Amino acid sequence: MATLEKIRSKSVILFVIIIVALLAFILGDFLTSGRTYFGTGDKMIEANGAQVKLNDLNAFREKQGERKGDPDQINQQDLNSLLVQKLFDKEYEDLGINITDSELSQAMIYNGEVQQFIGSLGQAFGLAPAYDEASMTQNIAAVLERLKAPQKYQIPAEEAQRYLAIWRGIEDNVENSLRQQLYSMLINGLYTPNNVDAQAIYDGETIRNIDIVMIPSASIADEDITVTDEDIKAVWEKNKSKFAVKGGDKRSISYIVQQVAPSDDDYADADAAVVKMVAALQNDTLSLAPANADSRFLTQRQSVTKAQLNARYQGANCSRSFKKLVDSAAYAGKTMIVQSIPGSYYTIGKIMGIEQKIDSVTYSQLMFDDAALTDSLMNIAKATQTWDSLKLDNAMAMGNQEISLLSVTNPAIAKLLGETPVGETVLYSDSIQGQQLNMLIRVDKRPAPVSVFDLARIDYVVEPSGATRSKISGEFRNYVGNNASTQTFVDNAEKAGYNVQQTLVSAGTANIAGLPSTRALVKFAMDGKTGKVSPVVESKVRQSQTPTQNIPAIFQPVQPAEQEYLVAIALGNEYDDYVAWNDPVVRQRLEREATNLKKAEKIAETYKAQANDLQALATAAKTTVITAQPFAFNSTNYPAEFGAAIVKTAKGALTETIVTPYGVYVAKVNNISEPAMKFEDSRDMYMQQFSRMFMPLAGNGLINALLNGEEVKNHSLNFVAGFDD
């Protein structure tokens, strides 16, 4: 009681303490949250008044469906696509560009995606193909009517909703396409080239016939040249615009990617395991028990015909190897290695049996939902020779279909197709996901039995063992832990057997070195301080082989092992204007160009006395004169310095000595062939030509126009969990 009295007497003080604590908690959230309070909220990327929010991205991804690849890479691509669309939408709204319902409907009729969508569903719904505007309009209306009233037409509701969502997506695509066309017409209509633009086209069509002597920089060894920091800085200054930072801050990083690959012991163990398995399967003649009992081996089994074995499947070397196995065996149980890539995988083949079977049949079928229609449809089917000609509102007919009985997974269907007398019509009924399905089936043709081989395929994919993984991971983590600064991380790598690489990252960088699951390292780079080294991140990549159509599963390529990598980064400087000349990301390239320039300068000085005579220059440099080379001002085969020198050289004259990072050039202009029509007489024609060649709304020009000088602000790292989160 005394304690309670004390609490009551101090209630005002307690209240104050609680309020202060609560305020401290809220203030802490204000200061640490990048999203909830003073941060960017749910905005993921924005520019020039357009923004993409988290819900926008989620809705877009749901509409796109499942896609293969690195999710972070896909996210960044989607964010960029959505931002461009948002910028377009804002521009359309500002300019009052809208598409009416009638304009959209008219465009949909002639859209290829619409025609494919309606044609596919129309066939499934038993509609006649559309060959003109009127019939396409009718089919669109009929398909949409069925999708909007699925119960009436006995269509699964979920399936109808899925198709309606696809239809709405197509509508959006067509509408956006129409709006962009109008926008392009509007902007391009306002664009008028000037005399300088037209002159550029005219100059580009002027052809000069030249002779050239070129002495490459590579003719001088690197060790004969000394390059200073001043030389490197001079190259950087000359090309400074190439190193401008755009689209937000960028961080220079050094990184190491260490693959977790099988060791020599792992390869030796794989060889031994496969040899042992072949012997076990040969001893156990008609069984796969040894392979099924060993989890390192993947087993599959399939029946194939002699014709399939003889087929030269493109890219399916395994089929030819199985053919050799069959040709070499007069009895079941024969086992051998049919395919292998050392250090990657082994494939063992085994003949489980050989028998005579009916391989395929040709049949016709009539599908319908309402069982009450069975008798009437049976009478129609029996009276009709070619079911393809049947046009029924309540059933879908397909005729002259050939199917391999070896690929039919439904035993009842396989039995029916294999045993029903040719020409006899029978009823087959089944329920698929609660939906009743009835089929009338008629076997039209059944060939004689052929030899069918029951084959087994046993794959062994070589992967690093647990011991190998532990060794590689332990050594790499120790290295990163013992070299916790950028300087030591880089300086000690080569001695430890690691290869350091450099790159620049920004908030919009999806990953490091193209490896999935490394987006957290990007966040670490953009949030961290120069000199810090990240924790180690694991990344796994599976380069799945896509199955090839019309090739039996047993002959498909082996699925390779999942590639495993360990990644760590060390932070260099952060830049918001230009990447510095001495940053490791650019220094090596600048140093190479500076070295090549000094080589070229040395070459020019060495042959200065011969520069006024092409043949004398070629003889002295132990090279040849390249004769009769046509040169246009817009040619991309020569350095820019070369083009500039050629254009200002008169007919019959030699150029000055042209020094470039690629080497030294001297050329003689033999002839100048100007366009047949003089510029003064055809100014308007060249202006029109410029308009066609240099549309203002193309590539980066379009994006820059939409951005209107504003930078893209990518906030998506706020939605990535960091190492300390």
Side-chain angles (χ1 to χ4, degrees):
M1 289 295 291
T3 302
L4 290 175
E5 284 298 325
K6 288 181 180 179
I7 291 175
R8 290 192 187 99
S9 67
K10 306 293 184 181
S11 59
V12 175
I13 297 175
L14 275 175
F15 179 75
V16 172
I17 292 172
I18 292 170
I19 291 299
V20 170
L22 186 59
L23 284 173
F25 173 76
I26 295 173
L27 185 59
D29 263 357
F30 270 116
L31 295 175
T32 59
S33 173
R35 289 178 270 168
T36 312
Y37 299 105
F38 294 138
T40 60
D42 59 351
K43 293 195 294 287
M44 299 198 74
I45 191 170
E46 61 180 325
N48 194 23
Q51 55 185 238
V52 178
K53 297 185 177 182
L54 179 61
N55 286 342
D56 298 326
L57 179 64
N58 289 338
F60 182 79
R61 290 174 61 184
E62 185 176 350
K63 187 165 67 173
Q64 294 295 312
E66 186 176 352
R67 287 170 288 171
K68 292 183 178 179
D70 177 14
D72 293 320
Q73 183 79 50
I74 293 171
N75 270 356
Q76 292 306 307
Q77 292 171 351
D78 289 348
L79 282 175
N80 292 335
S81 298
L82 285 168
L83 180 62
V84 170
Q85 186 58 56
K86 294 276 188 178
L87 288 167
F88 266 123
D89 291 342
K90 179 176 176 291
E91 193 82 351
Y92 299 151
E93 184 177 349
D94 292 345
L95 294 172
I97 297 176
N98 293 302
I99 305 300
T100 65
D101 290 344
S102 60
E103 289 172 333
L104 179 59
S105 298
Q106 187 71 15
M108 294 284 281
I109 292 172
Y110 294 99
N111 180 268
E113 193 176 2
V114 171
Q115 292 174 356
Q116 184 177 3
F117 178 81
I118 295 298
S120 177
L121 283 184
Q123 182 181 14
F125 294 153
L127 303 177
Y131 297 108
D132 53 33
E133 181 176 330
S135 57
M136 175 56 73
T137 303
Q138 292 174 355
N139 279 10
I140 290 175
V143 168
L144 293 180
E145 179 188 355
R146 284 162 171 76
L147 295 179
K148 291 176 181 178
Q151 189 172 5
K152 176 181 176 182
Y153 292 96
Q154 298 182 337
I155 301 172
E158 290 183 3
E159 187 174 331
Q161 288 301 316
R162 182 169 64 85
Y163 282 123
L164 280 174
I166 294 173
W167 174 258
R168 285 190 289 269
I170 295 174
E171 275 188 328
D172 290 342
N173 292 340
V174 173
E175 182 177 9
N176 284 331
S177 177
L178 289 173
R179 293 166 80 187
Q180 188 165 352
Q181 287 176 26
L182 290 174
Y183 178 66
S184 297
M185 290 170 61
L186 174 64
I187 301 301
N188 289 330
L190 298 174
Y191 182 80
T192 304
N194 56 34
N195 286 336
V196 175
D197 299 328
Q199 186 71 50
I201 293 293
Y202 181 84
D203 290 341
E205 292 181 352
T206 301
I207 305 299
R208 291 167 171 81
N209 185 282
I210 59 177
D211 292 342
I212 311 168
V213 170
M214 189 271 187
I215 310 169
S217 296
S219 60
I220 295 181
D222 285 358
E223 52 266 27
D224 294 337
I225 297 295
T226 300
V227 174
T228 66
D229 285 350
E230 291 304 315
D231 296 326
I232 297 172
K233 287 171 68 175
V235 173
W236 182 84
E237 287 287 353
K238 181 182 177 182
N239 301 280
K240 189 174 179 180
S241 61
K242 295 180 181 180
F243 304 102
V245 172
K246 298 177 182 179
D249 295 353
K250 283 184 169 56
R251 168 77 72 177
S252 171
I253 67 166
S254 299
Y255 66 93
I256 297 174
V257 175
Q258 175 61 39
Q259 184 175 6
V260 182
S263 66
D264 291 342
D265 288 342
D266 295 334
Y267 292 133
D269 290 345
D271 292 340
V274 170
V275 170
K276 183 178 178 181
M277 181 58 67
V278 171
L281 290 169
Q282 287 174 337
N283 292 333
D284 196 343
T285 310
L286 297 178
S287 170
L288 295 174
N292 292 332
D294 192 329
S295 60
R296 297 173 298 175
F297 291 86
L298 176 65
T299 303
Q300 58 178 305
R301 191 169 173 176
Q302 187 173 6
S303 294
V304 298
T305 64
K306 190 76 171 181
Q308 289 174 315
L309 282 167
N310 288 334
R312 308 292 286 184
Y313 295 117
Q314 186 174 359
N317 294 325
C318 197
S319 63
R320 294 188 276 277
S321 301
F322 267 108
K323 183 179 184 302
K324 292 178 182 178
L325 172 65
V326 170
D327 290 343
S328 67
Y331 57 90
K334 180 71 175 181
T335 304
M336 61 182 285
I337 298 174
V338 296
Q339 191 177 23
S340 68
I341 294 183
S344 183
Y345 67 83
Y346 299 85
T347 295
I348 303 169
K350 180 170 183 175
I351 304 174
M352 305 302 294
I354 306 172
E355 60 180 314
Q356 297 295 306
K357 280 186 177 182
I358 296 172
D359 169 32
S360 62
V361 298
T362 303
Y363 73 103
S364 298
Q365 70 177 16
L366 217 165
M367 301 173 61
F368 56 99
D369 298 327
D370 191 355
L373 300 172
T374 302
D375 291 340
S376 61
L377 291 174
M378 180 71 80
N379 291 332
I380 294 172
K382 288 182 177 179
T384 308
Q385 185 65 30
T386 305
W387 290 10
D388 274 343
S389 63
L390 291 173
K391 304 299 179 186
L392 304 167
D393 293 333
N394 49 18
M396 183 169 64
M398 291 182 286
N400 197 34
Q401 298 181 92
E402 186 174 354
I403 188 171
S404 170
L405 291 181
L406 303 180
S407 64
V408 177
T409 56
N410 187 321
I413 292 287
K415 180 177 175 63
L416 187 151
L417 292 174
E419 298 179 0
T420 300
V422 174
E424 182 176 321
T425 300
V426 296
L427 173 67
Y428 173 79
S429 297
D430 199 356
S431 177
I432 301 176
Q433 295 183 345
Q435 185 78 19
Q436 184 64 29
L437 176 67
N438 304 292
M439 283 193 297
L440 295 181
I441 296 177
R442 183 185 68 197
V443 176
D444 297 321
K445 180 180 171 183
R446 185 184 293 117
V450 296
S451 295
V452 175
F453 299 88
D454 182 5
L455 301 180
R457 167 173 158 173
I458 304 98
D459 293 330
Y460 183 106
V461 178
V462 184
E463 297 185 73
S465 63
T468 297
R469 287 188 174 93
S470 296
K471 181 176 183 296
I472 294 174
S473 178
E475 290 176 350
F476 185 63
R477 292 177 191 278
N478 285 338
Y479 177 81
V480 172
N482 294 332
N483 294 274
S485 71
T486 299
Q487 188 71 45
T488 58
F489 182 89
V490 173
D491 290 348
N492 298 331
E494 185 176 358
K495 184 178 179 181
Y498 299 117
N499 178 35
V500 176
Q501 301 178 71
Q502 282 83 26
T503 190
L504 292 169
V505 298
S506 66
T509 302
N511 51 43
I512 305 297
L515 293 173
S517 306
T518 56
R519 178 83 167 142
L521 291 176
V522 177
K523 182 179 179 68
F524 179 87
M526 299 312 295
D527 291 347
K529 295 181 179 180
T530 300
K532 291 186 67 177
V533 174
S534 74
V536 175
V537 167
E538 297 180 7
S539 177
K540 296 182 179 181
V541 182
R542 181 173 291 283
Q543 302 292 347
S544 299
Q545 295 274 9
T546 303
T548 306
Q549 288 186 345
N550 303 321
I551 293 181
I554 204 166
F555 301 147
Q556 293 286 350
V558 174
Q559 293 298 329
E562 189 174 55
Q563 300 295 304
E564 304 173 42
Y565 300 92
L566 302 172
V567 189
I569 68 172
L571 306 189
N573 292 324
E574 189 171 12
Y575 303 105
D576 60 4
D577 49 6
Y578 295 91
V579 180
W581 67 272
N582 58 350
D583 191 281
V585 174
V586 300
R587 182 186 172 98
Q588 187 174 11
R589 176 157 54 101
L590 290 168
E591 188 173 359
R592 169 48 50 194
E593 185 167 341
T595 300
N596 287 339
L597 268 175
K598 294 203 77 170
K599 287 181 179 182
E601 290 167 359
K602 185 173 182 179
I603 291 170
E605 183 62 30
T606 300
Y607 300 108
K608 183 178 180 180
Q610 293 84 20
N612 60 352
D613 186 322
L614 283 187
Q615 189 57 59
L617 177 62
T619 301
K622 298 180 180 180
T623 184
T624 59
V625 178
I626 306 172
T627 60
Q629 294 297 301
F631 173 83
F633 183 69
N634 55 9
S635 173
T636 59
N637 298 326
Y638 302 96
E641 302 94 329
F642 181 87
I646 290 289
V647 169
K648 68 180 184 181
T649 301
K651 177 180 176 181
L654 282 174
T655 66
E656 60 191 16
T657 300
I658 308 164
V659 178
T660 78
Y662 307 98
V664 170
Y665 296 82
V666 178
K668 180 183 179 183
V669 178
N670 297 317
N671 189 35
I672 301 176
S673 302
E674 296 186 3
M677 189 175 293
K678 297 299 181 183
F679 175 72
E680 299 79 24
D681 301 329
S682 55
R683 172 181 171 277
D684 291 341
M685 181 188 74
Y686 285 111
M687 283 189 170
Q688 292 175 8
Q689 188 175 355
F690 184 90
S691 296
R692 289 194 301 271
M693 292 180 64
F694 300 96
M695 298 292 284
L697 293 182
N700 292 332
L702 169 61
I703 302 301
N704 291 335
L706 293 173
L707 290 175
N708 195 28
E710 296 288 331
E711 281 200 355
V712 176
K713 298 176 182 177
N714 192 316
H715 311 298
S716 58
L717 283 176
N718 291 342
F719 300 80
V720 175
F723 295 105
D724 297 325
D725 292 357

